[in-house]
Amino acid sequence: ACGPQLANSPTVIVMVGLPARGKTYISKKLTRYLNWIGVPTKVFNVGEYRREAVKHYSSYDFFRPDNEEAMKVRRQCALAALRDVKLYLTEEAGQIAVFDATNTTRERRGMILNFAKENGFKVFFIESVCNDPTVVATNVMEVKLSSPDYRDCNSTDAMEDFMKRINCYQASYQPLDPDDYDRELSLIKVIDVGRRFLVNRVQDHIQSRIVYYLMNIHVQPRTIYLCRHGESEFNLKGKIGGDSGLSNRGKKFALALNKFVGEQNLKDLKVWTSQLKRTIQTAEALQLPYEQWKALNEIDAGVCEEMTYEEIREQHPEEFALRDQDKYYYRYPSGESYQDLVQRLEPVIMELERQENVLVICHQAVMRCLLAYFLDKSADEMPYLKCPLHTVLKLTPMAYGCRVESISLNIEAVNTHRERPEEAKKGPNPLMRRNSVTPLASPEPTKKPRINSFEEHVAVPSALPGCVPQEVPTQLPGQ
């Protein structure tokens, strides 16, 4: 029996399309994004189940619609994948399962819809349609020829076999039909690698986010450079947060970065900074136009801003211990957590996906969050990623991931990396506060003011000439 369709029922994303249409590329990229924003997601690639069941691929004959024996095996593989989907969504705390297969017939899609209905899952279809032979050929060359199916095969024979494999599906392919047969289904058709989109019956918030994401990504080759600002005066003193300027070595790094960027010989490089002094001073040395993003400001350490870790340990011992236990979810009193930072950085990720060559000059926690997105790192790993000062990370998006090169510009700087403490590796602790706003530790001291602080936004009653309101109330009525 079908259970109630809850607002946050788990979702099965069903890929649809001929081979070499970028289904796996979309599956992997979308899964990386959803996991990054905190929605547990996993890909179930039916091709991998098939390779497990049939160890040695011989030729496209296996995919012929009249090969009954093979058809049986392929159906068994799809059912095995669906069993694992059910397990993931019902027993392993998964929220979204991506069912990555061709799913080119109504019969196969009907089977998946019945499976979802029986288990109370929502279904969202993503169909990739591409009739440009050059795009298909490029995809086959870049991705398919390196597949385990063609391990001992020269590229000409592999290409010929794969094209015949596509033809096997072509004959029975029934595209999604949102105007008639499939009008009740929730779906998006991605046409010619994002030139056009057709969206039908989006059911909920998460589906609308998926649609928004798919409409922002592109496959043009480009490079993304991530680096931190030059070493700051506060870095030298071991203080966190604040808005200090660059140290002498930080200024040297800014000049070295200018030289490095010139050597890269990039067309139309965009430069982005935060709104804090240290990133702006670093960008000024580049003599290029740059754009300031408030979203790129460093994590707000709240009551701990402008303190050293030693001072935090002395003045807020409980806070210090809490942060070490779960650095991703821990929120500084009156400040932010890494989880908050991810939410704040989502528009930056969307814009990075739309752009071509970009240099982002940011801060340690911000750079960790961005890096975790591109390198598919978990929330647990994210706060401990190494992002040293005076080092540029060059990211080159590849077919199913991202190549990263670390380039040190050979200007000395302090090391601001803190390893995960040994106690924190042992697992959860009863101290855990998670995301409460009020601190467990000593009474909250007055928070150091920050750019665009709350007080600036509280409306002050217009005073008569010569009258100045004595103070702005810090508590609103009813709080």
Side-chain angles (χ1 to χ4, degrees):
C2 175
Q5 272 267 292
L6 303 171
N8 59 353
S9 300
T11 299
V12 181
I13 292 175
V14 182
M15 302 306 297
V16 177
L18 294 168
R21 266 38 181 203
K23 295 183 301 302
T24 299
Y25 169 80
I26 292 171
S27 301
K28 289 188 181 223
K29 192 157 176 137
L30 182 59
T31 298
R32 181 157 58 83
Y33 163 71
L34 291 168
N35 279 316
W36 183 76
I37 61 170
V39 182
T41 306
K42 188 174 174 182
V43 179
F44 295 83
N45 179 292
V46 178
E48 286 173 16
Y49 285 78
R50 188 255 308 159
R51 276 188 276 275
E52 197 53 45
V54 182
K55 297 283 189 227
H56 299 292
Y57 171 79
S58 51
S59 80
Y60 73 95
D61 280 340
F62 183 84
F63 294 95
R64 281 171 46 175
D66 57 358
N67 185 339
E68 285 178 29
E69 198 58 40
M71 287 293 269
K72 229 178 271 179
V73 173
R74 287 161 61 197
R75 186 182 170 83
Q76 288 309 313
C77 291
L79 291 170
L82 287 176
R83 276 196 297 275
D84 288 349
V85 163
K86 180 180 177 178
L87 201 66
Y88 177 67
L89 296 179
T90 56
E91 293 177 33
E92 295 170 13
Q95 194 57 37
I96 296 183
V98 183
F99 189 69
D100 180 18
T102 51
N103 301 316
T104 44
T105 64
R106 286 173 181 169
E107 183 262 333
R108 173 58 54 89
R109 297 194 291 266
M111 179 179 99
I112 299 164
L113 286 164
N114 286 337
F115 157 82
K117 193 175 179 188
E118 282 164 21
N119 291 288
F121 303 149
K122 292 179 180 175
V123 178
F124 186 70
F125 290 93
I126 300 176
E127 181 174 31
S128 180
V129 180
C130 180
N131 298 317
D132 182 335
T134 30
V135 173
V136 174
T138 305
N139 197 0
V140 174
M141 289 299 289
E142 281 181 10
V143 181
K144 302 301 177 188
L145 300 193
S146 56
S147 143
D149 289 347
Y150 298 113
R151 193 173 286 129
D152 307 315
C153 194
N154 70 59
S155 56
T156 316
D157 292 349
M159 186 80 163
E160 191 183 331
D161 182 85
F162 198 86
M163 289 306 192
K164 285 178 179 168
R165 192 197 288 198
I166 294 174
N167 291 339
C168 292
Y169 285 95
Q170 198 103 44
S172 56
Y173 179 25
Q174 296 168 298
L176 288 169
D177 175 14
D179 294 326
D180 189 12
Y181 188 85
D182 298 311
R183 62 186 306 151
E184 299 305 316
L185 302 183
S186 300
L187 64 92
I188 180 172
K189 268 181 186 268
V190 180
I191 301 158
D192 290 337
V193 208
R195 186 174 59 83
R196 283 177 67 209
F197 299 90
L198 199 158
V199 181
N200 193 65
R201 282 192 186 274
V202 169
Q203 275 171 299
D204 58 22
H205 170 68
I206 199 68
Q207 290 181 9
S208 67
R209 282 179 90 161
I210 290 165
V211 166
Y212 177 51
Y213 181 70
L214 293 176
M215 291 177 79
N216 278 283
I217 61 178
H218 68 79
V219 292
Q220 269 72 49
R222 48 37 179 293
T223 310
I224 295 162
Y225 298 87
L226 301 179
C227 74
R228 290 170 64 187
H229 51 82
E231 180 187 73
S232 72
E233 294 292 351
F234 270 18
N235 289 148
L236 286 175
K237 294 173 183 164
K239 292 185 176 186
I240 63 169
D243 193 17
S244 64
L246 296 183
S247 69
N248 285 333
R249 293 191 302 198
K251 289 170 187 165
K252 280 184 190 165
F253 167 72
L255 295 171
L257 185 64
N258 176 26
K259 184 168 178 277
F260 170 79
V261 168
E263 286 164 357
Q264 295 297 295
N265 199 12
L266 293 159
K267 184 170 70 74
D268 302 327
L269 176 71
K270 297 252 170 56
V271 180
W272 297 351
T273 71
S274 73
Q275 290 185 347
L276 299 175
K277 201 185 290 176
R278 52 197 186 272
T279 64
I280 292 167
Q281 287 180 346
T282 307
E284 280 288 336
L286 301 180
Q287 297 165 323
L288 289 169
Y290 60 90
E291 197 177 339
Q292 294 178 27
W293 286 68
K294 187 167 189 284
L296 285 171
N297 284 3
E298 180 56 308
I299 192 168
D300 186 345
V303 300
C304 300
E305 281 276 310
E306 304 189 12
M307 293 170 81
T308 65
Y309 283 115
E310 288 67 35
E311 288 167 344
I312 298 169
R313 184 182 288 164
E314 278 169 33
Q315 294 174 39
H316 307 287
E318 201 151 349
E319 292 303 321
F320 191 84
L322 280 167
R323 188 161 196 260
D324 276 350
Q325 274 160 40
D326 194 337
K327 201 172 167 185
Y328 179 78
Y329 287 106
Y330 169 82
R331 179 183 283 151
Y332 283 106
S334 304
E336 292 178 300
S337 65
Y338 269 86
Q339 187 187 35
D340 297 330
L341 200 49
V342 163
Q343 302 305 318
R344 163 149 74 82
L345 286 166
E346 194 183 355
V348 177
I349 287 295
M350 285 294 176
E351 200 50 47
L352 274 175
E353 284 292 0
R354 295 187 65 83
Q355 297 291 336
E356 291 183 9
N357 299 323
V358 185
L359 164 64
V360 183
I361 303 171
C362 54
H363 306 266
Q364 181 165 253
V366 170
M367 187 160 158
R368 282 171 173 158
C369 292
L370 297 176
L371 201 55
Y373 167 78
F374 286 106
L375 301 187
D376 200 11
K377 298 292 182 186
S378 68
D380 185 52
E381 297 169 283
M382 184 191 291
Y384 296 100
L385 293 175
K386 287 196 169 126
C387 296
L389 286 164
H390 301 178
T391 300
V392 179
L393 294 186
K394 179 179 179 179
L395 305 177
T396 313
M398 312 291 284
Y400 293 155
C402 203
R403 188 175 74 230
V404 61
E405 295 166 66
S406 178
I407 302 145
S408 165
L409 298 197
N410 297 322
I411 308 286
E412 270 191 43
V414 294
N415 176 13
T416 59
H417 185 79
R418 282 183 78 236
E419 292 291 348
R420 186 195 299 262
E422 280 305 313
E423 311 82 78
K425 293 174 186 170
K426 291 171 191 162
N429 184 297
L431 258 178
M432 182 49 66
R433 188 183 78 228
R434 304 296 272 194
N435 277 356
S436 69
V437 177
T438 42
L440 267 186
S442 45
E444 189 167 328
T446 48
K447 187 186 157 193
K448 293 190 170 67
R450 199 175 152 93
I451 300 172
N452 300 334
S453 65
F454 169 73
E455 283 76 12
E456 287 171 33
H457 295 291
V458 176
V460 179
S462 52
L464 294 167
C467 296
V468 180
Q470 288 310 296
E471 67 179 54
V472 175
T474 52
Q475 193 163 19
L476 297 176
Q479 269 191 337

